[in-house]
Amino acid sequence: MYKYLLIGGNGFIGTNIIYKLLEKKRDIFCIDLYDSNTKKISNKHFNSFINDLSNTELVKELVDASDIIIYLASVSNVRNSSNDSLIELGNIENFINFLEIVKEYKNKKVVLASSGGAIYGETKDPVNENHTLMPISPYGIGKLSMENFLRYYSLKYGINYVICRYSNPYGQYQNPFSGVGVINKLLYNYHTGNETKIIGTPDGSVRDYIYISDLVDATIKVSESKFADNNVFNIGSGVGYSLTHILNEIESVLDDTLRIKKGDFGMENVSKIVLDISKINKKVEWSPKISLRDGIILNNEWIKFYLNVEENNMASPKVGNYFKQKID
């Protein structure tokens, strides 16, 4: 029965991992700057600490008490780091400080959340883990730097690791105000009567979307499998969908028309990225279970649940503030 430490665990991905680990009755420690999605959890297997990595003594205690450490902490995304590249220095510094602590402990496994959507740069075909890495955004460059530091510390100090290069996840607990997650944002705006600004040409923007439960299952599987040690894995659906396809699929699920407006496509956004997921399938026999349509249906039901939307799609006046409090 592994004991987990999630660093930055109160965000979208971390929250879903925590709930799944609790189903499996794993012991979990979580450290994060913010107490949001998990603050109401009352479970003997879960301990949450609202702090940051500068509290070295606390981090040491939590690392010592854990077997597997999932590192999710980040203060950036493609959009905000493109406006302020220096933000990535903080992410890299925090990660190095963390590695300086972990190197003193043996038999720990570090799972790093990286980005399959930003680290490869512009591509044509589904890309495998050996593809040339040419990120075109500060966010992707920051993720690549963290990957390289993890490999260095592994070689020098014997740290076991797994690098998870996630595609575009969507689903429950995703924050529609974070600037990422087009599916979640479109559904949220639909139910609150707002329009959504989309970036770029819908036909030319192709992404690999993965429903959050599939991402969580893959992450836990590589975390607990010795066959995954010291490997990099693409984690996605393995299928590319244009934004036009996403819009049509959502409108089909809703049986209604979305309100959208077009925005400029930033040079830091790749036009197409689809991940080759054959490696993780071979190493640990994982493959996604949730289709795009089923994922949209699940995401839509979750949005409706939290916004208390009636069958006529009319949101209550307090919806906006309530939703902001409930998520990141």
Side-chain angles (χ1 to χ4, degrees):
M1 296 296 289
Y2 295 102
K3 295 182 178 180
Y4 279 81
L5 167 60
L6 274 72
I7 296 179
N10 280 330
F12 167 43
I13 294 175
T15 298
N16 282 279
I17 291 175
I18 286 169
Y19 280 117
K20 189 64 177 181
L21 290 174
L22 288 175
E23 287 181 22
K24 295 176 174 290
K25 294 182 169 53
R26 304 291 193 265
D27 289 328
I28 310 160
F29 305 102
C30 175
I31 183 170
D32 200 314
L33 281 171
Y34 306 101
D35 187 359
S36 51
N37 294 331
T38 61
K39 64 183 178 182
K40 292 187 177 180
I41 294 178
S42 178
N43 190 299
K44 67 179 182 179
H45 294 286
F46 179 69
N47 291 278
S48 180
F49 301 86
I50 307 307
N51 219 307
D52 61 27
L53 297 182
S54 65
N55 190 334
T56 304
E57 292 307 311
L58 173 60
V59 177
K60 285 181 179 179
E61 290 180 15
L62 297 178
V63 168
D64 188 38
S66 306
D67 304 305
I68 299 170
I69 306 150
I70 303 180
Y71 194 96
L72 299 152
S74 177
V75 295
S76 67
N77 55 46
V78 171
R79 180 175 297 178
N80 63 22
S81 70
S82 297
N83 294 327
D84 180 11
S85 299
L86 293 176
I87 198 171
E88 294 302 331
L89 292 178
N91 286 329
I92 296 168
E93 182 179 9
N94 287 336
F95 188 59
I96 294 173
N97 288 337
F98 160 71
L99 292 175
E100 281 292 310
I101 293 173
V102 175
K103 75 179 187 182
E104 303 298 333
Y105 296 86
K106 303 301 180 184
N107 302 318
K108 307 297 178 183
K109 186 171 181 178
V110 175
V111 180
L112 173 64
S114 188
S115 172
I119 203 166
Y120 293 110
E122 289 288 357
T123 63
K124 294 182 179 180
D125 301 314
V127 293
N128 64 30
E129 293 82 354
N130 295 321
H131 192 279
T132 302
L133 304 177
M134 292 289 290
I136 61 174
S137 67
Y139 177 77
I141 294 168
K143 288 294 187 183
L144 178 54
S145 297
M146 292 166 69
E147 285 192 14
N148 287 335
F149 274 111
L150 180 54
R151 290 190 189 91
Y152 166 75
Y153 274 79
S154 175
L155 288 171
K156 188 169 184 178
Y157 301 106
I159 298 173
N160 284 331
Y161 72 87
V162 175
I163 295 171
C164 297
R165 290 179 181 162
Y166 299 132
S167 64
N168 289 59
Y170 67 101
Q172 60 184 9
Y173 299 109
Q174 189 170 32
N175 183 354
F177 306 103
S178 66
V180 295
V182 66
I183 292 175
N184 193 66
K185 182 68 172 176
L186 284 163
L187 291 169
Y188 173 81
N189 283 344
Y190 172 78
H191 287 297
T192 54
N194 297 311
E195 62 183 5
T196 303
K197 182 179 179 180
I198 59 172
I199 300 174
T201 305
D203 286 337
S205 180
V206 177
R207 296 288 185 274
D208 184 327
Y209 297 90
I210 181 171
Y211 190 71
I212 187 62
S213 62
D214 281 332
L215 181 150
V216 167
D217 288 342
T219 303
I220 294 174
K221 197 151 191 176
V222 297
S223 298
E224 298 188 356
S225 172
K226 295 187 182 298
F227 297 107
D229 286 3
N230 303 324
N231 273 286
V232 180
F233 294 104
N234 286 337
I235 297 178
S237 68
V239 181
Y241 293 101
S242 70
L243 185 51
T244 297
H245 186 101
I246 296 296
L247 296 171
N248 291 338
E249 197 71 75
I250 291 176
E251 289 184 337
S252 174
V253 168
L254 296 173
D255 193 23
D256 203 356
T257 303
L258 295 167
R259 296 175 59 198
I260 61 173
K261 62 179 178 179
K262 294 183 179 180
D264 294 329
F265 194 81
M267 59 81 61
E268 67 276 357
N269 292 283
V270 298
S271 58
K272 178 182 180 180
I273 182 69
V274 183
L275 302 183
D276 179 340
I277 57 172
S278 58
K279 180 178 178 180
I280 188 172
N281 179 264
K282 292 176 183 177
K283 284 281 187 180
V284 298
E285 297 183 344
W286 173 88
S287 59
K289 299 176 182 177
I290 307 297
S291 69
L292 176 67
R293 185 175 181 84
D294 287 345
I296 291 172
I297 291 171
L298 289 169
N299 200 159
N300 187 50
E301 290 303 311
W302 181 77
I303 292 285
K304 288 166 62 179
F305 174 77
Y306 274 94
L307 296 184
N308 193 26
V309 176
E310 303 296 339
E311 288 299 321
N312 60 4
N313 295 318
M314 293 298 292
S316 69
K318 298 180 180 179
V319 154
N321 290 334
Y322 178 76
F323 200 92
K324 289 179 180 177
Q325 292 168 2
K326 283 290 181 183
I327 53 184
D328 295 349

